[in-house]
């Protein structure tokens, strides 16, 4: 992706051009449709038609864009935006400094649509149909988790697509104030929940051998998430590594007790008991195989129906022929 750094000041408003055959100017609808605001990594604006992108070069510009996109359609007061950009050390004339940043951001955003409105007490960004990678991630993740019980293979495809949208930490280099920090934390929790759903669906597809190393890395990176230990224990057990599965429980217990002063929760304790007792539920259910007798009966029903349709067709042709000859 080609990334441009543009910081020159600009007028507060952008006129909306019209598409004409003579000028070839891109209309507002095309601009909106092509625009995607990206927050799952470096904050940027992506043109889906050309494949190019724009990234604000300054941290204040990135924080301002991120805040306005996170709260798109909502008026943000000058006071909240000043706190987001400068915290408890605002400049001497904070409203004027904020206005300058907003003006520069207007210049940065794709021309052809008025993205940011100035209101009596603040500012508002309108998506008006433009997309965000957060919305795409949320949709794909939700579809994958909903599909998982009935079709784990399709679920892994959808969840993989959702996670592929991430290009780094959410709102990367833009989390200086409370609004962006809270959103980044929320998105990171959604990412981890989606990862857990992906690994569970992979287990249900019989891919336990493939996911062990990934789960090992995740438990090391997130040592207080019991669900990851649970999935790793199942994967190891299905690989025939029963003692290692028990070792994962002990590792989880040491982490939880040492860091939080609590024992593992009931779900992880039940998993330990299942491993110790070689519970049948730990073994993946074999794929359903139809009874040969049922298949034979269904084939006989289909053949009977085919024979009947052939007789009906022959009878219809006979009657048509009789009518044609007048007999």
């Amino acid at each position: 992706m080609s990334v441009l750094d543009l910081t020159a000041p600009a007028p507060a408003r952008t006129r909306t051009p019209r598409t004409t055959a003579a000028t070839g100017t891109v209309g507002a609808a095309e601009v909106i449709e092509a625009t995607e605001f990206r927050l799952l990594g470096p904050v940027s604006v992506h043109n889906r038609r050309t494949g190019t992108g724009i990234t604000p070069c300054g941290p204040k510009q990135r924080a301002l864009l991120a805040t306005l996109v996170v709260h798109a359609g909502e008026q943000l007061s000058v006071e909240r935006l000043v706190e987001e950009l400068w915290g408890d050390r605002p400049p001497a004339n904070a409203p004027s400094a904020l206005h300058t940043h907003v003006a520069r951001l207007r210049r940065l955003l794709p021309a052809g649509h008025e993205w940011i409105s100035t209101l009596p007490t603040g500012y508002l960004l309108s998506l008006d149909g433009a997309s965000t990678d957060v919305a795409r991630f949320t949709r794909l993740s939700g579809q994958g988790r909903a599909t998982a019980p009935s079709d784990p293979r399709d679920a892994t495809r959808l969840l993989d697509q959702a996670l592929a949208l991430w290009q780094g930490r959410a709102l990367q280099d833009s989390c200086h104030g409370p609004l962006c920090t809270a959103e980044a934390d929320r998105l990171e929790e959604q990412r981890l929940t989606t990862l857990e759903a992906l690994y569970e669906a992979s287990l249900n597809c019989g891919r336990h051998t493939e996911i062990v190393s990934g789960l090992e890395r995740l438990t090391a990176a997130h040592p207080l998430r019991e669900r990851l230990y649970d999935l790793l224990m199942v994967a190891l057990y299905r690989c025939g590594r029963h003692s290692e599965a028990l070792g994962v429980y002990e590792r989880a217990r040491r982490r939880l007790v040492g860091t939080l002063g609590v024992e593992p929760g009931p779900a992880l304790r039940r998993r330990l008991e299942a491993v110790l007792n070689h519970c049948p539920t730990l073994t993946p259910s074999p794929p359903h195989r139809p009874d040969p007798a049922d298949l034979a009966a269904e084939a006989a029903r289909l053949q009977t129906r085919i024979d009947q349709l052939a007789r009906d067709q022959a009878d219809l042709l006979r009657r048509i022929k009789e009518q044609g000859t007048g007999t």
Side-chain angles (χ1 to χ4, degrees), residues 67-175:
T67 306
L68 289 170
V69 173
V70 166
H71 292 274
E74 173 187 346
Q75 177 181 333
L76 291 173
S77 67
V78 170
E79 291 75 16
R80 291 183 75 187
L81 288 171
V82 167
E83 180 186 12
E84 190 70 17
L85 268 60
W86 289 283
D88 57 1
R89 294 185 178 181
N93 192 349
S96 178
L98 175 63
H99 178 76
T100 299
H101 280 295
V102 171
R104 289 177 176 172
L105 187 58
R106 283 193 176 108
R107 173 72 174 180
L108 181 69
L109 295 176
H113 177 65
E114 185 178 337
W115 298 100
I116 303 174
S117 301
T118 300
L119 304 175
T121 59
Y123 299 93
L124 179 149
L125 182 141
S126 300
L127 292 176
D128 290 331
S131 61
T132 68
D133 58 353
V134 171
R136 282 205 292 151
F137 167 74
T138 301
R139 174 177 56 81
L140 288 167
S141 176
Q143 289 175 346
R145 286 182 279 113
T147 303
S150 59
D151 191 346
R153 291 190 182 280
D154 192 44
T156 60
R157 179 184 61 82
L158 292 166
L159 296 168
D160 269 329
Q161 290 180 1
L163 291 165
L165 296 173
W166 286 71
Q167 303 298 314
R169 291 179 291 105
L171 283 69
Q172 188 170 304
D173 301 326
S174 303
C175 300

Side-chain angles (χ1 to χ4, degrees), residues 187-197 218 222 225:
L187 289 171
E188 176 63 10
E189 178 61 29
Q190 285 194 354
R191 184 184 74 87
L192 290 172
T193 300
T194 301
L195 272 169
E196 290 168 348
L218 281 171
H222 305 281
R225 292 188 75 90

Side-chain angles (χ1 to χ4, degrees), residues 89-304:
R89 294 185 178 181
N93 192 349
S96 178
L98 175 63
H99 178 76
T100 299
H101 280 295
V102 171
R104 289 177 176 172
L105 187 58
R106 283 193 176 108
R107 173 72 174 180
L108 181 69
L109 295 176
H113 177 65
E114 185 178 337
W115 298 100
I116 303 174
S117 301
T118 300
L119 304 175
T121 59
Y123 299 93
L124 179 149
L125 182 141
S126 300
L127 292 176
D128 290 331
S131 61
T132 68
D133 58 353
V134 171
R136 282 205 292 151
F137 167 74
T138 301
R139 174 177 56 81
L140 288 167
S141 176
Q143 289 175 346
R145 286 182 279 113
T147 303
S150 59
D151 191 346
R153 291 190 182 280
D154 192 44
T156 60
R157 179 184 61 82
L158 292 166
L159 296 168
D160 269 329
Q161 290 180 1
L163 291 165
L165 296 173
W166 286 71
Q167 303 298 314
R169 291 179 291 105
L171 283 69
Q172 188 170 304
D173 301 326
S174 303
C175 300
H176 304 293
L179 298 178
C180 284
T181 299
E183 179 67 3
D185 291 344
R186 184 187 73 84
L187 289 171
E188 176 63 10
E189 178 61 29
Q190 285 194 354
R191 184 184 74 87
L192 290 172
T193 300
T194 301
L195 272 169
E196 290 168 348
L198 173 62
Y199 280 105
E200 182 174 11
S202 297
L203 276 175
N204 292 334
C205 292
R207 294 168 55 187
H208 40 273
T209 303
E210 302 173 34
I211 65 175
V212 167
S213 60
L215 285 169
E216 290 280 14
R217 289 192 297 270
L218 281 171
T219 54
H222 305 281
L224 302 181
R225 292 188 75 90
E226 293 188 45
R227 180 60 178 148
L228 293 173
Y229 290 115
D230 189 330
L231 294 167
L232 179 55
M233 290 176 69
V234 175
L236 288 169
Y237 185 91
R238 291 183 180 179
C239 291
R241 299 159 65 178
H242 302 170
S243 61
E244 291 177 68
L246 296 173
V248 168
Y249 179 87
E250 289 304 318
R251 190 202 321 165
R253 182 180 179 279
R254 286 195 303 271
R255 285 284 192 172
L256 292 167
V257 172
T259 305
L260 303 178
V262 298
E263 293 284 338
L268 203 56
R269 292 199 300 270
R270 286 194 297 269
R271 188 67 74 195
L272 172 66
E273 293 174 3
V275 171
L276 288 170
N277 296 319
H278 299 280
C279 183
T281 58
L282 289 172
T283 304
S285 301
H288 174 69
R289 297 182 182 277
D291 190 311
D294 293 338
L295 290 174
E298 181 63 22
R301 284 193 294 271
L302 287 173
Q303 187 60 54
T304 300

